[in-house]
Amino acid sequence: MTERRIARDAKLDSQCSILADVIIAIRPSHSRANTQQKAFIETMIGAAIWYIPKSRNAWTGQVSVGALKIFHPDSGHMRPRFSEEHVYPRKVAARFLLENESLTGPVLGDLFREKYGRLHYITPDENKAVQRFQRDAVFTQPEDAYASAGITLVQVTDHDLRLVKKRDRKTIERYLNDRP
């Protein structure tokens, strides 16, 4: 493991530790808050989740078909880009963390690495489309939100992701044509 990865992991653990302390401390305020105040607290915690450094395995390996299409050299997109989309909406993750009675820094670190800090690559437009299915009142599972937004995800290798970013026609077409 490189020094950079060790430093990133240490920073992640440090931030998860202090965020867990904050969540535990704010839990009584959250429990007695009205609906609007609860939403505000969950938004604050969700924002803190955004600033935790990504773990080395943050990317799930999944890319949307839409993202593959805009990276195709014939797509007409001059500068395509991915949107890093949290598998679990940060505000929903915040609510789950507030409800987790066994929360500690190490528990949050594990949850972040395994669940709440994980990312898919989709298009910016898809990111906007899926948001309405990720709202606290309607969110059930990540897969349901993507299906409701019409987003299909495919598993892509790390090596092939680099080729997709380079707009390699053969690689992109293989993924687009191998779908059921």
Side-chain angles (χ1 to χ4, degrees):
M1 195 180 293
T2 67
E3 285 184 38
R4 187 179 202 172
R5 280 193 177 156
I6 292 169
R8 180 178 31 182
D9 285 344
K11 184 175 181 180
L12 188 154
D13 289 334
S14 173
Q15 288 184 354
C16 284
S17 177
I18 197 66
L19 181 55
D21 289 348
V22 168
I23 292 168
I24 292 164
I26 205 167
R27 199 176 278 150
S29 296
H30 183 264
S31 67
R32 68 176 177 267
N34 65 35
T35 303
Q36 183 180 17
Q37 292 168 327
K38 284 183 182 193
F40 179 62
I41 291 169
E42 292 162 7
T43 298
M44 288 188 312
I45 294 169
I49 290 169
W50 174 257
Y51 287 103
I52 295 172
K54 288 181 236 152
S55 65
R56 64 182 171 276
N57 69 335
W59 178 49
T60 63
Q62 295 191 317
V63 174
S64 73
V65 169
L68 291 171
K69 287 179 178 177
I70 67 166
F71 272 84
H72 192 282
D74 296 338
S75 70
H77 287 82
M78 298 306 293
R79 290 194 179 108
R81 63 182 180 91
F82 291 119
S83 181
E84 291 182 344
E85 211 283 317
H86 278 84
V87 175
Y88 274 83
R90 295 186 311 270
K91 190 171 177 181
V92 171
R95 183 175 37 87
F96 289 152
L97 294 171
L98 282 158
E99 295 169 355
N100 185 337
E101 293 294 327
S102 61
L103 187 67
T104 63
V107 167
L108 178 53
D110 290 344
L111 285 169
F112 184 81
R113 285 180 176 93
E114 296 166 14
K115 193 173 186 177
Y116 300 134
R118 302 298 309 270
L119 308 165
H120 296 317
Y121 292 135
I122 63 178
T123 70
D125 287 340
E126 289 172 328
N127 193 339
K128 290 175 190 160
V130 76
Q131 286 176 3
R132 68 184 175 129
F133 302 105
Q134 294 178 322
R135 290 193 188 357
D136 192 34
V138 298
F139 182 83
T140 54
Q141 292 293 320
E143 299 80 19
D144 296 340
Y146 294 112
S148 295
I151 298 170
T152 302
L153 298 166
V154 294
Q155 197 71 29
V156 174
T157 67
D158 288 337
H159 176 266
D160 285 350
L161 179 67
R162 286 189 289 280
L163 294 173
V164 168
K165 288 178 178 179
K166 292 178 181 179
R167 306 186 81 175
D168 181 76
R169 177 186 307 273
K170 183 178 167 187
T171 303
I172 293 168
E173 288 179 354
R174 181 168 34 91
Y175 281 101
L176 291 175
N177 294 328
D178 285 350
R179 300 183 311 107

